[in-house]
Amino acid sequence: MDKKFLAPKEIANAMVNVGVGKANLPVLNMFLLGILAGAFIGFGALGNTIASQTFAGIDPGVAKLIGAAVFPVGLMLVVVCGAELFTGNNLMTLALMSNKITTSQLLKNWCVVWLGNLVGSVALALIVYYGGICGGDAATKAIGIAEAKAGLTVGVMILRGILCNILVVLAVWLATSAQDVISKIFACWFPIMLFVLSGFEHSVANMYFIPVGMLLGANVTVAQCATNLICVTIGNLIGGALIIPVIYYVVYLAADKKASNV
């Protein structure tokens, strides 16, 4: 019988290999796939806005849950269709700690992909705005989301960013374990639904949420938008590039590396 999923140590080794592959992508490919990932996450964010507003008249809690249930389509598209997402690529520190990639390769990927994510997210926001896709109550909801995110304190942005990317990289971890498309979809769905429902902060999602709100008339300055993206990115890095990868490296990979150096 074929194995249906990878064990945790197998996932760790698989993630090292994935990190090596990502580090060696041509810069143009990184950027183009980053644009796609930004748009994919933006699609999930757009769906979240419309769904949560559509069901707001029924019950606020139900509306929030339905919006959270729609959002994970973004990561599903990234994982299954193929794209480069900054927050998921934070797991590349596993390859760095295993001495399979260099620090310069890691930083190059993160910077290029982050910029690609920004371009894709903002491009989608512009299309949504000029296409009249988010109007009426949905526009009011989008404006409210943007203003709420921009109004957070620096500490709250960072802390919510940490919690968010713990769940995002765990979703990628679960999806890597899965060996079929349906399993990968469910692996993406549960952790991402949870972070949206909990109100955590995702840097790439905010690359769509805040600009589209600004275009629709939100009282948010460019400086406030930039502050949010920087602070949330820092939080995402702490949660996704340090906390989860370091723990799993120590538990599953450090002993193997030590043995190979003997």
Side-chain angles (χ1 to χ4, degrees), residues 76 79-80 175-176 178-189:
M76 294 173 193
V79 169
V80 178
T176 302
Q179 301 298 290
D180 62 90
V181 172
I182 297 299
S183 297
K184 287 182 182 294
I185 287 173
F186 275 98
C188 292
W189 190 81

Side-chain angles (χ1 to χ4, degrees), residues 47-243:
N48 168 269
T49 302
I50 294 173
S52 58
Q53 180 56 45
T54 299
F55 291 92
I58 299 175
D59 178 85
V62 171
K64 188 174 183 180
L65 177 61
I66 292 174
V70 172
F71 186 92
V73 68
L75 187 65
M76 294 173 193
L77 292 171
V78 169
V79 169
V80 178
C81 298
E84 290 291 300
L85 181 65
F86 168 75
T87 48
N89 285 11
N90 286 175
L91 283 170
M92 289 173 66
T93 49
L94 280 166
L96 179 67
M97 290 183 286
S98 300
N99 292 333
K100 300 296 185 181
I101 64 174
T102 64
T103 302
S104 62
Q105 285 179 303
L106 176 76
L107 295 178
K108 179 179 72 174
N109 179 278
W110 283 355
C111 290
V112 172
V113 169
W114 193 94
L115 289 172
N117 292 166
L118 180 63
V119 170
S121 299
V122 173
L124 180 65
L126 288 167
I127 294 170
V128 167
Y129 173 70
Y130 286 108
I133 296 167
C134 201
D137 291 340
T140 302
K141 178 69 175 181
I143 290 170
I145 291 172
E147 291 180 345
K149 288 180 176 296
L152 297 173
T153 65
V154 168
V156 168
M157 291 177 195
I158 293 174
L159 291 173
R160 291 187 183 183
I162 292 171
L163 294 176
C164 172
N165 217 29
I166 285 175
L167 288 173
V168 171
V169 297
L170 287 175
V172 173
W173 191 271
L174 282 170
T176 302
S177 169
Q179 301 298 290
D180 62 90
V181 172
I182 297 299
S183 297
K184 287 182 182 294
I185 287 173
F186 275 98
C188 292
W189 190 81
F190 284 100
I192 303 304
M193 178 275 295
L194 179 57
F195 104 63
V196 177
L197 186 64
S198 301
F200 300 154
E201 292 291 307
H202 187 265
S203 56
V204 181
N206 288 3
M207 292 174 186
Y208 167 82
F209 275 129
I210 299 178
V212 80
M214 293 169 68
L215 288 166
L216 291 166
N219 185 23
V220 176
T221 66
V222 173
Q224 286 177 305
C225 177
T227 298
N228 178 278
L229 295 182
I230 291 168
C231 293
V232 173
T233 295
I234 291 169
N236 289 167
L237 282 167
I238 295 169
L242 293 177
I243 294 175

